[in-house]
Amino acid sequence: MEKTKKPANPALIAAVKAVAVLVIICLVCVILLALCNDLLYVSDEEKLAHSMSKIYPDYGEGDKEFNETFKLDSSNATNSYGSVVDVKKAADGAYVLTAKGGGGYKGTVTVYLVVKEEGEGSSKDAKIKAWTIKESDGETLLANITNTHRSTWYVGKSITEYTSESFSVDNNKVSNTTMSSKAINNAVKAACEYCISVLELVTTPESEAIKAVSALAEGYTFTIVTDSDGYEAYTVGENKLSFYLEGTKADADTLEAYVYGTDENRQIVIVKSGLTHDELLAAEPVAKSENATAEVVDKVKSLSHFEYVIGKMHEGFQYTGTAELDAGLASDSKYGTVNKVYNGADGAVVIEATGNGGFESGTVTINVVIGTDGKVEGWYILSSEKQSFIDNITSAWDTVSSWYVGTEASEAEIALGDNKVNGTTYSSTAINHAMNMACHYYVKCIAAAA
Amino acid sequence: MKLQRFKEIALDGTVRQNPTFRLVLGTCPTLALTTAAISCLGMGAAVTFVLICSNIIISLLRNIIPDKVRIPCFIVIIATFVTLVRMFMEAFLPDLYDVLGLFLPLIVVNCIILGRAESFASHNPVLDSACDGLFMGLGFTCAITLMAIVREVLGSGKLFGITLWEGFSIAFFANQAGAFLTFALFIAIFNVCYNAVERKLKHRAAHKAVEAENKAAAEEA
């Protein structure tokens, strides 16, 4: 019997041919583009040279010795605004920083910033001479930022203006290019921070304090914690506290640094953060400056930062110890959990509670101060699981800190009401849940036991 | 390619089927970039280059590309040339590259290019397609440059970046509403003039035809 050959399916053949043609065309195009990319590639040096020829002709050929030997340390090049990716020096001694700023449309914006030192000694300053955009992550409308903006934004100003709290990244914006404008501001702030903290182009009391403290605690990154009332409680005779800093290091305990006085008379005491009153009294400081007097050390040790912060909400708060938690009442699926209870000598308590319902189903942890009359006397945020828009709440702290103050802990359910910040509803809800959790625990465990 | 055919393609691209004022294609760059005439020349040159190259390749491959995958193939080819233009501009014309920004990669989805690929290049020989690409590109360039001249002069008192009247500017023409109004006015004026000329030419042709008929009739008699 003869075998009959099956006829080929024309539809299948047509489909295979179509796919094959498409694939071949794609391959040819890819190869062509790969070849052209090699031919037409523009290096970072070429981009820099072109930009400098337009905005800062004094760059010339650059400082060859510095540019060839300088190695960027990535560990100190990143801060909360962005990162510095490269530093070059111009022929006239100006620094050209390449900095990336976050918060842009679809990613970051990278800028060149030219900074030049002026003055000497205590009047040393550094001014921004020029800037321009190098590139952006996503396709944007950066063409809206014109030469007019390049000549008016930042130019001629001291870099300290952009590292101060008063400069908002929402300044200097162009209509229809708001997000990219914000990213540019962030990049400039990141570059200016780098100029002060790493290149040390400007000497300020703050930068000198950070430098002196950092020298005593190797590997730590210190930032100054600002507080408007000046930490009067820490005054020792004529010596007032100049700065209070927090220091962090990967896989290590957080430190607190107390700086008295300035310049050569500076006295520094560094202790571990988060210690109880008793632990602090018993422990020796992690580090101190050679001239730190016994009175200053004793004052720091006897007044833990925790007591100081709580003392602003409940006067004279003295921490006596942590209470044992009632496991059954310390958790509520509706609100969250209670993590710790700190007892005060006069019966006031501080309850650390974590509230659910935050941004992306995350949590927010707060400390709640409840006075002897069973009313909320104050609270503050410890942490947020998902770094969301919680900065909107902390930046409005003057208003936000009065939320829930005076509320009876015995209230059946503390409503969210107006205790929310526009655009930060989830985090506000999590804070409300944590507050409810803390108050319900207080009523059921602490007040009931008393 | 015959001269008559060449003339037809040239007239179609620049006047009869002007992509901006007659076909109203490619309105995104038309509205967004016509605040400065110099950037329109750059955009027009880029579009013309992509049109010519993509029309040539698509015309060459018109009998090979199956119908089922013609659009994806066209887009791949167009995107390749747009990427080449981007690379070239970034290397040799960085100022223009910065100005065009987002609108350079948007050339890939410019209706003029895909439209001409689909309606002309995929059905016509290579030389005809190349000429169509050239004149369509020229038509687009002239149209957007004309619009930009008006908007730039009225909106900022400048022409090709050169200040004509210091401090003169009518902000309306520099923003989006002014763009739409200018575009609409140009379309209206262009079409009125085109229709008037076409009527005149038709009338003349009809008159010539009648004269020729009369002459033929007279000769017969």
Side-chain angles (χ1 to χ4, degrees):
Chain A
M1 211 161 87
E2 276 183 20
K3 265 189 184 174
T4 49
K5 201 174 175 185
K6 231 176 169 181
N9 185 343
L12 182 62
I13 293 171
V16 168
K17 184 187 171 191
V19 170
V21 166
L22 181 59
V23 166
I24 290 167
I25 288 175
C26 289
L27 277 171
V28 169
C29 290
V30 161
I31 293 166
L32 176 65
L33 286 175
L35 286 170
C36 289
N37 189 46
D38 279 339
L39 290 170
L40 298 172
Y41 176 71
V42 180
S43 66
D44 282 342
E45 281 73 25
E46 284 170 328
K47 283 182 187 171
L48 177 68
H50 171 74
S51 295
M52 290 301 111
S53 68
K54 279 168 50 183
I55 63 166
Y56 197 70
D58 289 344
Y59 180 84
E61 298 284 316
D63 181 335
K64 285 199 168 69
E65 197 189 327
F66 179 92
N67 294 341
E68 279 166 15
T69 56
F70 180 82
K71 291 276 180 282
L72 189 83
D73 181 358
S74 53
S75 63
N76 59 18
T78 303
N79 53 50
S80 52
Y81 303 108
S83 58
V84 170
V85 296
D86 195 18
V87 179
K88 295 268 187 270
K89 219 171 174 183
D92 69 344
Y95 288 90
V96 181
L97 294 97
T98 309
K100 268 190 190 181
Y105 183 69
K106 290 187 180 172
T108 60
V109 175
T110 306
V111 304
Y112 293 121
L113 193 76
V114 183
V115 176
K116 196 167 180 192
E117 287 176 281
E118 287 180 359
E120 283 175 3
S122 59
S123 61
K124 200 167 130 182
D125 196 4
K127 293 223 169 118
I128 296 170
K129 291 296 186 185
W131 76 278
T132 191
I133 298 162
K134 182 192 175 192
E135 63 197 8
S136 65
D137 272 351
E139 294 297 346
T140 66
L141 295 171
L142 280 171
N144 287 345
I145 291 170
T146 63
N147 286 335
T148 308
H149 303 111
R150 285 187 185 83
S151 58
T152 53
W153 290 5
Y154 319 116
V155 175
K157 306 266 173 48
S158 168
I159 57 175
T160 53
E161 273 193 46
Y162 301 102
T163 53
S164 82
E165 294 284 324
S166 58
F167 179 76
S168 165
V169 292
D170 290 319
N171 289 1
N172 287 349
K173 51 187 174 195
V174 173
S175 185
N176 297 325
T177 322
T178 321
M179 294 178 85
S180 298
S181 302
K182 188 171 177 173
I184 292 168
N185 286 328
N186 275 328
V188 168
K189 277 191 87 114
C192 291
E193 289 274 353
Y194 186 88
C195 284
I196 291 174
S197 59
V198 178
L199 297 177
E200 295 177 0
L201 298 186
V202 175
T203 305
T204 61
E206 287 81 7
S207 68
E208 292 292 288
I210 291 173
K211 198 172 154 187
V213 167
S214 300
L216 293 173
E218 206 184 307
Y220 274 85
T221 306
F222 282 93
T223 49
I224 290 173
V225 177
T226 55
D227 191 317
S228 59
D229 69 15
Y231 294 87
E232 288 297 325
Y234 285 90
T235 302
V236 178
E238 300 277 314
N239 266 323
K240 286 189 179 181
L241 193 73
S242 303
F243 297 106
Y244 162 71
L245 298 89
E246 273 186 2
T248 53
K249 182 178 166 183
D251 301 324
D253 294 322
T254 304
L255 302 180
E256 295 171 3
Y258 297 80
V259 180
Y260 286 80
T262 56
D263 302 324
E264 297 79 28
N265 302 319
R266 200 180 286 120
Q267 297 180 57
I268 301 170
V269 179
I270 302 177
V271 297
K272 256 195 212 171
S273 185
L275 292 181
T276 63
H277 183 82
D278 294 333
E279 285 168 347
L280 204 53
L281 279 175
E284 282 303 309
V286 170
K288 59 184 170 116
S289 56
E290 278 178 16
N291 63 345
T293 61
E295 290 82 11
V296 160
V297 173
D298 282 345
K299 176 59 76 172
V300 169
K301 281 170 64 172
S302 67
L303 191 66
S304 78
H305 188 65
F306 174 70
E307 283 185 330
Y308 174 77
V309 170
I310 303 300
K312 289 196 285 183
M313 298 175 221
H314 182 90
E315 200 178 325
F317 180 84
Q318 254 197 317
Y319 169 73
T320 57
T322 48
E324 202 176 314
L325 285 179
D326 183 331
L329 294 170
S331 175
D332 183 335
S333 58
K334 186 178 176 186
Y335 295 119
T337 56
V338 163
N339 309 317
K340 282 181 195 160
V341 175
Y342 305 95
N343 290 328
D346 62 353
V349 295
V350 179
I351 301 176
E352 183 190 302
T354 299
N356 55 23
F359 182 69
E360 288 185 351
S361 304
T363 57
V364 176
T365 302
I366 62 174
N367 267 353
V368 181
V369 181
I370 300 178
T372 50
D373 57 358
K375 287 186 181 173
V376 174
E377 291 185 352
W379 66 279
Y380 59 97
I381 298 168
L382 284 171
S383 62
S384 160
E385 193 182 7
K386 301 282 169 85
Q387 191 54 37
S388 56
F389 297 99
I390 200 137
D391 290 342
N392 289 351
I393 292 178
T394 51
S395 62
W397 191 247
D398 284 345
T399 314
V400 168
S401 58
S402 62
W403 289 356
Y404 307 113
V405 172
T407 303
E408 292 277 356
S410 56
E411 268 189 43
E413 179 156 349
I414 301 168
L416 181 64
D418 289 333
N419 296 329
K420 56 190 174 200
V421 171
N422 202 17
T424 324
T425 315
Y426 287 113
S427 298
S428 304
T429 303
I431 290 167
N432 174 265
H433 284 183
M435 185 62 66
N436 272 286
M437 193 66 222
C439 290
H440 292 173
Y441 187 85
Y442 173 83
V443 166
K444 287 173 188 167
C445 288
I446 300 164
Chain B
M1 182 181 166
K2 292 180 182 168
L3 187 62
Q4 184 58 30
R5 177 76 172 140
F6 178 82
K7 273 186 187 171
E8 264 182 39
I9 292 173
L11 271 174
D12 278 349
T14 50
V15 180
R16 285 193 213 127
Q17 292 183 48
N18 183 287
T20 308
F21 296 141
R22 292 280 294 168
L23 303 182
V24 195
L25 296 175
T27 50
C28 184
T30 303
L31 293 169
L33 286 175
T34 48
T35 48
I38 199 79
S39 54
C40 288
L41 285 177
M43 172 57 90
V47 167
T48 306
F49 174 80
V50 173
L51 262 170
I52 295 171
C53 296
S54 58
N55 272 10
I56 289 172
I57 301 297
I58 288 166
S59 182
L60 276 170
L61 298 175
R62 70 185 185 280
N63 295 323
I64 299 171
I65 297 175
D67 208 43
K68 281 183 177 20
V69 292
R70 72 178 192 287
I71 299 293
C73 289
F74 293 170
I75 290 178
V76 166
I77 293 164
I78 293 166
T80 303
F81 285 111
V82 171
T83 309
L84 285 173
V85 168
R86 278 190 74 186
M87 286 179 187
F88 179 84
M89 274 196 184
E90 194 180 1
F92 298 108
L93 300 166
D95 294 334
L96 185 60
Y97 176 79
D98 287 339
V99 168
L100 294 179
L102 174 66
F103 297 99
L104 209 43
L106 278 181
I107 294 174
V108 177
V109 292
N110 191 323
C111 305
I112 302 170
I113 298 171
L114 196 57
R116 293 321 285 175
E118 168 75 359
S119 64
F120 195 96
S122 57
H123 304 298
N124 286 279
V126 175
L127 201 54
D128 289 12
S129 301
C131 289
D132 180 75
L134 171 66
F135 288 106
M136 277 286 165
L138 281 175
F140 174 71
T141 307
C142 292
I144 61 172
T145 308
L146 267 173
M147 256 190 73
I149 287 170
V150 170
R151 285 187 71 197
E152 193 179 4
V153 167
L154 293 175
S156 59
K158 291 180 184 176
L159 181 61
F160 290 97
I162 302 163
T163 307
L164 298 177
W165 299 288
E166 192 69 50
F168 173 80
S169 70
I170 304 172
F172 175 76
F173 285 100
N175 65 28
Q176 288 84 355
F180 274 101
L181 181 68
T182 313
F183 191 31
L185 285 172
F186 265 95
I187 290 174
I189 294 167
F190 189 91
N191 282 286
V192 161
C193 295
Y194 176 81
N195 291 338
V197 167
E198 199 168 322
R199 262 198 309 274
K200 202 171 179 180
L201 286 172
K202 268 190 188 161
H203 181 75
R204 203 179 284 175
H207 187 71
K208 270 188 183 165
V210 166
E211 268 189 19
E213 239 182 71
N214 290 342
K215 197 175 177 183
E219 273 176 9
E220 238 178 73

